[in-house]
Amino acid sequence: MRKQYSVLALLIAITCLVFALPPIAAQDSPSPTGPAVNLVVTVEARHGSNLPDISREDVMVYEGRERDKVTGWLPLQGDHAGLELFVMLDDSSNTSLGSQLEDIRQFINAQPATTKIGVAYMQNGIAQVVQNLTSDHALASKALRLPLGNPGANASPYFSLGDLIKRWPEAAERREVLMITDGIDRYGGNGPDNPYVNSAIEQAQRAGVIVFGIYTPGEGHYGHSFWRMNWGQNFLSQIADETGGEAYYLANGAPVSFAPYLDDLTHRLGRQYLVTFLAKPEKKAGMQHIKLMTEVPNAELVSADRVYVPATPR
């Protein structure tokens, strides 16, 4: 009898021990691994509403259907507000651009002290820098001049953008570009798959450079060709959208004023964040498609749609 009680007590003890252990599925899973990737993100407020507060927990990053772990969400303000901004003007623009130079000067002078500004002209496929990046905004604004107004002055605005990015040293600050051009590529032609536009987009994405664009008419026959003007603006919109920027003025002729677009750009520059996430490990380094999302009402996250992910050591 005592033996039966002893066996029963042992079975009860084992059962209690088993149920006391946490289920395997509930145990902590291994921490996600992968290279850390940084990306500058602009927060847009929908329907003209006030900008909502967004925390790191509100940000979702996806590679395909897989969600990456977000490890950082840093407002680019205060001590982290550093920005390097190049204003690039197309030397083949119509001289009507001269009436917009004062708006551009006011935009440059209105930027905060944390912003360094450089000025370059798109000329013969290169970026002719007439003012290196400087915190002296008055000096940068003085570098503005009338475009040459020669239709042969620029082979392709996308050659010039790529040249600028290639010669732009890496920095801890954000790097962004405002292109003022008709967007027409006189080498790659028109159509939805322009190799020079695609190349410039990849260069910008790989370097983490955000591109904004304002349309201004070009000189010569291409400058008043309705078909080419449309494609030029499409290209500007494409490169801005895929790098996380914005393109302004989808219409014909010269804008009445750049001021509304430059005001919007100033607001966007003040609503940017640095997101850090752990990308999916890859055997080879390369560009990876991503998508940022948030469930915060009336908010949208705008960023490049591809990032460079280094190879993961095996």
Side-chain angles (χ1 to χ4, degrees), residues 40 82-88 114-120 127 129 131-134 159-179 200 203-212 243 269:
V40 175
L83 167 64
E84 293 185 351
L85 174 65
F86 258 102
V87 178
M88 293 185 71
T114 50
T115 298
K116 297 177 183 177
I117 296 180
V119 178
V129 177
Q131 174 57 59
N132 288 316
L133 291 162
T134 177
F159 290 174
S160 298
L161 175 62
D163 177 63
L164 176 68
I165 293 172
K166 185 167 54 179
R167 295 189 284 124
W168 196 342
E170 290 188 18
E173 294 88 1
R174 294 170 281 168
R175 297 188 295 170
E176 311 197 25
V177 175
L178 169 61
M179 297 177 68
Q203 285 177 283
Q205 290 174 335
R206 186 181 180 112
V209 173
I210 297 175
V211 180
F212 294 86
T243 62
L269 295 176

Side-chain angles (χ1 to χ4, degrees), residues 287-301:
M287 305 300 296
Q288 300 297 329
H289 285 275
I290 61 162
K291 184 174 180 61
L292 269 70
M293 300 177 64
T294 183
E295 294 180 348
V296 174
N298 298 322
E300 185 173 0
L301 307 182

Side-chain angles (χ1 to χ4, degrees), residues 258-302:
F258 281 1
Y261 313 132
L262 296 171
D263 288 345
D264 183 75
L265 173 55
T266 297
H267 291 313
R268 287 176 183 274
L269 295 176
R271 301 198 302 256
Q272 292 184 330
Y273 294 75
L274 183 70
V275 63
T276 303
F277 61 93
L278 302 181
K280 185 171 63 176
E282 299 289 345
K283 294 181 180 179
K284 294 182 179 180
M287 305 300 296
Q288 300 297 329
H289 285 275
I290 61 162
K291 184 174 180 61
L292 269 70
M293 300 177 64
T294 183
E295 294 180 348
V296 174
N298 298 322
E300 185 173 0
L301 307 182
V302 180

Side-chain angles (χ1 to χ4, degrees), residues 33-57:
T33 59
V37 175
N38 293 320
L39 182 66
V40 175
V41 180
T42 304
V43 178
E44 281 190 6
R46 295 175 182 164
H47 314 304
S49 60
N50 293 328
L51 190 68
D53 292 328
I54 295 180
S55 65
R56 179 175 61 85
E57 292 74 19

Side-chain angles (χ1 to χ4, degrees), residues 67-88:
R67 182 172 173 178
D68 294 335
K69 181 177 178 62
V70 175
T71 59
W73 179 250
L74 178 68
L76 296 176
Q77 301 168 4
D79 293 339
H80 306 288
L83 167 64
E84 293 185 351
L85 174 65
F86 258 102
V87 178
M88 293 185 71

Side-chain angles (χ1 to χ4, degrees), residues 87-124:
V87 178
M88 293 185 71
L89 301 96
D90 195 332
D91 243 344
S92 65
S93 297
N94 187 286
T95 53
S96 63
L97 178 59
S99 64
Q100 309 288 356
L101 293 184
E102 185 56 32
D103 284 348
I104 302 171
R105 290 191 184 97
Q106 291 183 19
F107 164 75
I108 291 174
N109 289 321
Q111 297 311 300
T114 50
T115 298
K116 297 177 183 177
I117 296 180
V119 178
Y121 281 79
M122 309 173 206
Q123 188 179 110
N124 298 320

